Every structure is written in C-alpha cells, then in structure tokens.
C-alpha cells in the first residue's frame, strides 16, 4: 500500500469560486479518489488564502471587517466543494491558529539563519495577482503600465520591506527544476529560461502594517506583516503539523503532489523550493501544472469579468457528477481550453446519455425481464476480455500521469465495447441470455469502477441498482464479478436539446 499527499492551491475567498477553481479542485479530487481506489493512504488538502491586500480591500469596500468577511466566504467555498463531492481531508484557512504559528516559526527560522534582511522596495504592483512586475513583464500602453494577466493599471509602490535572500538559492532551484518534479516538463523549462534571463532576485516578503494590516505579523518586527504568498505557500506543510507535530509531515511530505494553474508556477517552483530549502525541507514530489479555461481566448477570471459560474453548469446538467465529468473530459495540462457550451452538450448527449446511459438501461431492463434480475458468473468472451484489459491499462496509465481526458476516453471504450458486444450477441432474442448479460455487466462494473473517481455518486448509485461493488483495482478484470442482483434499470442521464437536462 502506498502513501499519497495531494493539494490544490488555496483560493482567495474574495469572491465565490468559479469553474476555473472547480477545475483544479476536481483534478485533485479525481487523483485522490483514484489513489484510494488503488489502495493508497491518501491525505487531500484544500482551503482558502485569507490574508493580504486583496482581501483587506474587498472587505473594506463592503464595509465589513476582514475576519467576518473571510469567515463567510470560506463557508461558500466549503459549500461548493460539498456539492461537487470534493473529498478533502482538511480544509485549511490561513487564519487557522496552527497555520499562523507555523508561519511565524518558519519565518523566524529563516531570520535566525540570516536569510532575511531589511531594505527598500520600489516596484509596480498588481493587487489582483498580489505580485510585483518588473520591466519586460508588464505591458506598456499609452504611457501606462498594465498587469500582463489582468490588463489593469499597476500601482507604484515604494516602501520599507524585509527581503528573503532568494538569490542565494539560484543553483539549488535550477538543480531541482532539472529533475522530474514539474509536470509537464515544458513548464520547468519556462521557469528555467526566466531564471536564465533575469536571475533569481531577492524577494520582498513583508509589508508595512500601516498599508497591509490584514496579515500575519512578522515575528521579529511588529510593524510588518508577512507577504501573503509566503504565508500561503506554507499551508502545504502547516496543514501536516509543521513544525511541532511531525508525524504527518514525515509520513506525507515526501509524496506531496501540488496541483496548480500555470499562473502560479513561479511561486510554486522558484519561490517555494527555496523557502522549503531555507526551512530544511525537500521540494515536493510533484508540481502538476495545468493551463487555463478561457472564454474568447481570455482566462476566465473575476478580475477580467468573464466568469462562468459553477451554478450555471449545475443548473444546465442538474447533476454535480456531470459537471465533474465534463470539466475533466476537456481538461488539458499543456494547452488552454476554450469554454464551449455546444461541446459540453454534445459530450453529455453522446457519451453520457447514449453510450453509458443506454448501455445501463438496456442491460438492466433485460436482466430484470429475462432473469428476474439475477445474473451469475459465466464464460468470459475472450475477444471482449482482451479489449477491456487494454482499455483498463490505458485508463490506469493515463490516471497515473494526470491525463484525465485520455483516461475518460479509455473508460468509455469499455462501454462502447460492451454495446458492440450486445449488438453481436443479441441477448433480447435469446431465452438464456445469462452469458451475454454477465459479460455486459462485467464491462459496466469495470467501467463504472474506473469512472468512480470522476463520478463518485453516479457510480455508487449504479452499483447499488445493479448489485455490485466498486473496485478494488485488482478486481477490475473480466470474470472477477461473481453475481449481479439487479434491483432497477436506472435512466442515468436524460438527453438535452435547447433546454436543460433536469
Ligand atoms: N491564493 C493563490 C494561491 C495560493 S496557493 C499557495 C491564488 N488563488 S486564486 O484564487 O487566484 O486561484 C488561482 C488558481 O485557480 C489557479 O492557479 C488555478 O488553479 C485556478 N484557476 C483560476 N482560474 C482559472 C481558469 N480560468 N482556468 C483554469 N484554472 C483557473 O492564486
């Protein structure tokens, strides 16, 4: 049995989550559920990133104190994750007392090692990104400097700050980037070439409290608060009990898998690897980076104002598992995916309703009508067995390398094979259709088990209706199922046209 640690970014709770946040969170959840299906001991972490200027400003605009605001908003995130069936083990909030103490201790350690010094910072800041941009990074337009990500004017800031000696870690960071940590590899090359061009500059890691009061106080200077990104990154270790309760940290840290969007790659590599080294911890096992969901070519985001809400998809398909399926079906690590309602509807109709739904419905109806719902182990069709084995191998290897849409295509090949097999064997014409229905049910059991990380509730309900168990992975081969007791033949998905599915 293996051990596995999977994380999502902790999201800014300045607004409710949209499908971009759901996208990363579902990828991480599918991975957590897949590893559990394989028998691993999994710890799955998500949460909210509650400090910093962006939250401070949003709360001020609403005339509410920041803590009450983030209390409310973190509940909104939890509610969406519960609707979407996100199986996290801990929901961390950076205002949690254990996290605050961990950040103070980590920073004190860096300070005592002489890795932090006082200076003055002058630079152009984007509050939406909570990041500074230097020449060559920002966009110049009509004499103004704009954020490359949000295209909003940057603010010039000049103030006293404490710097972290990031530059000292340049060789170390380069060395880590040449290993197999960052996935896909192309993203590691991007970071390496940025370091090549600009070097690793020391990083401003505190803000004057007079400007940003909503943050963790720097342990060596009460006039400063800790930069929100340093506070946030440390959640991945504070959630495991760093630095005082080390048992979880020892168990899970070496198998840490961070899922992130490509917008926060720099922080999760250059900055994070160096901070970890500064507090004597090794880098994560993997940083899995995905591209954006876009609308008319622009990253979906609140700041851009082109959000597609989670509610819109929930309403259209009437089933959270369908939303999970569709977001993963068109997911991609290396290329942006353009949101397309037509494409989602088409996949819903042809794959979920036709291929999967019709298979389940016709097998269920026949089993009930012809065999009183009881189907017993029978001869396994050798041709079907071979194609199912191949599809299971493909799905497993895709899941192990985070190629979620490929995994779904392989899983649906099992259902497509089963439909073709039924058309060949025509159990509706037969008086003794046990063999044919047994083979088809085996395909449904195997395909549904592999689908369970993507559609956990659909899978559970179907297993109950047809009378089988989900998994374990070793049982995902033809002939492993002993008997089926079909109690109903559910209609899983109703087709949609112009309207909605529910
Ligand atoms: N709080 C920081 C992360 C700190 S982690 C130590 C942050 N938060 S965020 O709320 O802005 O979330 C950013 C993440 O949300 C992205 O990295 C990505 O995972 C996800 N996405 C937000 N919009 C997205 C798209 N349009 N498309 C894909 N993913 C998107 O950054």
């Amino acid at each position: 049995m293996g051990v596995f640690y999977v994380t999502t970014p902790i999201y800014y709770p300045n607004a409710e989550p949209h499908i971009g946040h759901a996208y990363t969170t579902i990828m991480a959840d599918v991975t957590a559920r897949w590893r559990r299906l394989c028998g691993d001991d999994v710890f799955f972490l998500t949460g909210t990133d509650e400090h910093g200027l962006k939250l401070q400003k949003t709360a001020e605009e609403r005339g509410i104190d920041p803590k009450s605001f983030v209390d409310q908003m973190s509940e909104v995130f939890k509610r969406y994750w519960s609707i979407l069936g996100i199986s996290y083990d801990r929901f961390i909030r950076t205002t949690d007392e254990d996290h605050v103490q961990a950040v103070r201790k980590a920073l004190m350690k860096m300070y005592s090692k002489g890795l932090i010094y006082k200076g003055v910072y002058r630079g152009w800041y984007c509050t939406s990104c909570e990041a500074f941009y230097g020449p060559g990074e920002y966009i110049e337009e009509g004499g103004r400097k704009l954020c490359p990500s949000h295209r909003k004017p940057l603010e010039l800031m000049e103030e006293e700050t404490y710097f972290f000696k990031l530059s000292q870690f340049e060789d170390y960071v380069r060395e880590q980037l040449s290993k197999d940590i960052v996935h896909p590899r192309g993203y590691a090359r991007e970071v390496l070439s940025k370091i090549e061009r600009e070097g690793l500059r020391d990083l401003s890691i505190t803000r004057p409290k007079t400007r940003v009061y909503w943050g963790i106080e720097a342990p060596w200077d009460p006039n400063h608060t800790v930069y929100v990104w340093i506070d946030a990154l440390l959640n991945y270790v504070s959630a495991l009990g760093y630095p005082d309760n080390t048992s979880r940290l020892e168990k899970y840290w070496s198998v840490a898998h961070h899922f992130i969007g490509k917008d926060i790659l720099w922080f999760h590599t250059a900055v994070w690897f160096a901070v970890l080294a500064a507090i004597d911890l090794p880098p994560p096992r993997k940083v899995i980076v995905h591209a954006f969901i876009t609308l008319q070519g622009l990253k979906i985001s609140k700041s851009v104002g082109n959000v597609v809400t989670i509610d819109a998809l929930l309403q259209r398909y009437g089933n959270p598992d369908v939303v999970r399926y569709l977001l993963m079906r068109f997911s991609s690590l290396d290329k942006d995916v353009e949101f397309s309602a037509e494409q989602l509807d088409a996949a819903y109709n042809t794959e979920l309703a036709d291929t999967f739904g019709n298979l389940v419905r016709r097998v269920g109806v026949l089993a009930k009508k012809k065999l009183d719902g009881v189907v017993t182990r029978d001869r396994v069709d050798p041709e079907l067995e071979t194609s199912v084995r191949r599809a299971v191998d493909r799905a497993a290897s895709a899941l192990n390398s985070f190629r979620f849409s490929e995994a779904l295509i392989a899983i649906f090949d099992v259902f497509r094979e089963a439909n073709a097999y039924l058309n060949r064997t025509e159990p509706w014409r037969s008086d003794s259709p046990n063999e044919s229905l047994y083979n088809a049910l085996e395909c449904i059991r195997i395909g549904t088990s592999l689908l369970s990380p993507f559609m956990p509730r659909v899978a559970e309900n179907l297993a109950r209706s047809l009378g089988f168990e989900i998994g374990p992975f070793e049982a995902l081969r033809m002939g492993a199922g002993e008997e089926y007791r079909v109690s109903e033949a559910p209609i899983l998905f109703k087709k949609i046209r112009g309207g909605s599915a529910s």
Side-chain angles (χ1 to χ4, degrees):
M1 193 174 86
V3 180
F4 201 85
Y5 178 36
V6 54
T7 69
T8 74
I10 47 171
Y11 303 105
Y12 293 127
N14 62 311
E16 46 183 59
H18 56 65
I19 63 166
H21 307 113
Y23 188 60
T24 319
T25 310
I26 294 166
M27 278 189 194
D29 187 60
V30 167
T31 303
R33 289 175 182 272
W34 162 242
R35 296 311 320 173
R36 291 189 201 111
L37 190 72
C38 294
D40 281 3
D41 170 343
V42 175
F43 194 84
F44 175 16
L45 176 71
T46 189
T48 39
D49 185 358
E50 305 189 349
H51 291 125
L53 189 58
K54 179 171 166 134
L55 264 303
Q56 179 180 311
K57 278 189 173 169
T58 314
E60 275 168 4
E61 277 159 26
R62 298 184 185 216
I64 171 173
D65 74 285
K67 183 60 170 59
S68 316
F69 179 58
V70 294
D71 281 350
Q72 279 171 26
M73 290 304 294
S74 60
E75 286 305 314
V76 174
F77 275 74
K78 285 187 187 164
R79 198 178 73 231
Y80 276 105
W81 298 161
S82 139
I83 293 171
L84 288 171
I86 306 302
S87 61
Y88 57 79
D89 295 291
R90 176 165 178 188
F91 186 101
I92 193 170
R93 301 180 52 191
T94 51
T95 50
D96 286 343
E97 191 50 32
D98 64 334
H99 172 77
V100 172
Q101 290 315 322
V103 169
R104 293 172 61 88
K105 286 179 183 159
L107 280 158
M108 208 49 221
K109 180 162 187 165
M110 291 155 72
Y111 189 78
S112 325
K113 280 182 161 184
L115 291 171
I116 291 173
Y117 65 93
K118 199 175 197 171
V120 172
Y121 193 90
R122 188 170 187 279
W124 294 92
Y125 198 73
C126 171
T127 310
S128 292
C129 297
E130 294 276 21
F132 282 105
Y133 289 103
E137 291 177 326
Y138 50 64
I139 301 170
E140 302 232 49
E141 211 175 79
R144 289 191 317 171
K145 294 180 175 54
L146 305 181
C147 166
S149 175
H150 298 99
R151 296 181 180 263
K152 292 198 309 196
L154 298 172
E155 285 173 64
L156 181 65
M157 290 191 186
E158 178 167 352
E159 60 195 17
E160 186 181 82
T161 185
Y162 287 90
F163 285 94
F164 166 49
K165 292 183 181 168
L166 187 56
S167 56
Q168 279 196 2
F169 294 86
E170 185 165 326
D171 290 342
Y172 173 78
V173 168
R174 278 177 194 259
E175 190 189 317
Q176 301 313 312
L177 284 166
S178 66
K179 297 183 181 163
D180 67 347
I181 302 173
V182 178
H183 178 87
R185 296 284 306 141
Y187 290 111
R189 284 192 291 274
E190 271 177 34
V191 180
L192 277 168
S193 67
K194 181 172 152 99
I195 297 176
E196 202 70 45
R197 281 195 315 272
E198 301 164 11
L200 262 194
R201 289 188 289 238
D202 290 350
L203 179 71
S204 157
I205 58 155
T206 69
R207 302 289 183 256
K209 212 184 223 171
T210 45
R211 189 168 67 80
V212 186
Y213 61 82
W214 181 236
I216 298 174
E217 198 174 90
W220 62 86
D221 185 342
N223 296 318
H224 281 255
T225 53
V226 176
Y227 175 37
V228 62
W229 263 103
I230 299 296
D231 170 353
L233 286 164
L234 285 163
N235 95 89
Y236 299 129
V237 293
S238 71
L240 296 180
Y242 173 89
D244 298 326
N245 303 311
T246 50
S247 63
R248 269 200 179 145
L249 195 71
E250 278 160 16
K251 181 169 175 188
Y252 293 110
W253 182 249
S254 63
V255 287
H257 289 67
H258 298 320
F259 277 91
I260 60 163
K262 64 183 181 181
D263 50 340
I264 55 177
L265 174 63
W266 176 256
F267 289 108
H268 280 82
T269 50
V271 177
W272 184 219
F273 294 177
V275 168
L276 282 166
I279 60 170
D280 303 319
L281 283 173
R285 177 70 198 84
K286 282 225 179 292
V287 177
I288 303 133
V289 189
H290 64 71
F292 296 144
I293 307 186
T294 58
L295 201 61
Q296 283 150 6
L298 288 179
K299 173 190 170 198
I300 285 181
S301 100
K302 165 100 184 331
S303 319
V304 175
N306 60 348
V307 161
V308 176
T309 64
I310 298 172
D311 285 335
L313 294 189
L314 286 171
Q315 270 157 27
R316 178 131 188 98
Y317 301 103
N319 179 342
D321 275 11
V322 172
V323 177
R324 293 170 61 105
Y325 177 87
L326 294 174
L327 286 178
M328 292 303 99
R329 177 64 181 79
F330 299 104
S331 63
S332 157
L333 299 186
D334 38 40
K335 285 196 202 77
D336 289 353
V337 282
E338 176 71 11
F339 179 83
S340 153
E342 294 75 31
Q343 194 178 40
L344 299 192
D345 279 359
Y348 174 84
N349 281 335
T350 59
E351 296 166 8
L352 291 176
D354 287 345
T355 303
F356 184 31
N358 282 348
L359 172 68
V360 165
R361 176 74 181 157
R362 64 177 175 163
V363 170
V365 167
L366 284 170
K368 286 199 65 157
K369 195 168 105 188
K370 300 225 169 197
L371 298 168
D372 276 337
V374 183
V375 180
T376 52
R377 185 180 272 151
D378 213 319
R379 192 186 82 97
V380 168
D381 182 274
E383 204 183 315
L384 189 58
E385 185 178 25
T386 309
S387 45
V388 168
R389 193 182 328 113
R390 286 206 185 111
V392 171
D393 288 349
R394 271 165 53 221
S397 100
L399 277 162
N400 287 334
S401 44
F402 320 107
R403 294 181 318 236
F404 302 101
S405 63
E406 255 180 79
L408 285 172
I409 292 168
I411 294 165
F412 272 62
D413 280 345
V414 177
F415 300 142
R416 279 183 276 266
E417 292 292 343
N419 277 320
Y421 168 83
L422 285 174
N423 292 342
R424 274 200 310 274
T425 54
E426 302 189 322
W428 47 88
R429 287 189 197 280
S430 161
D431 292 332
S432 52
N434 189 76
E435 180 179 325
S436 170
L437 292 178
Y438 174 72
N439 277 273
L441 280 162
E442 281 291 85
C443 290
I444 294 176
R445 178 179 66 80
I446 294 166
T448 303
S449 296
L450 286 170
L451 189 61
S452 65
F454 296 90
M455 306 187 88
R457 291 171 188 140
V458 165
E460 275 304 325
N461 291 337
L462 183 58
R464 211 170 306 119
S465 301
L466 301 185
F468 67 84
E469 300 271 316
I470 303 275
F473 184 69
E474 303 75 60
L476 303 190
R477 49 183 177 78
M478 297 287 289
E482 209 170 293
E483 188 184 72
Y484 290 85
R485 289 188 174 266
V486 177
S487 56
E488 60 166 338
I491 295 171
L492 295 178
F493 312 102
K494 292 201 184 108
K495 277 208 174 185
I496 45 176
R497 297 231 150 67
S500 78
S502 52

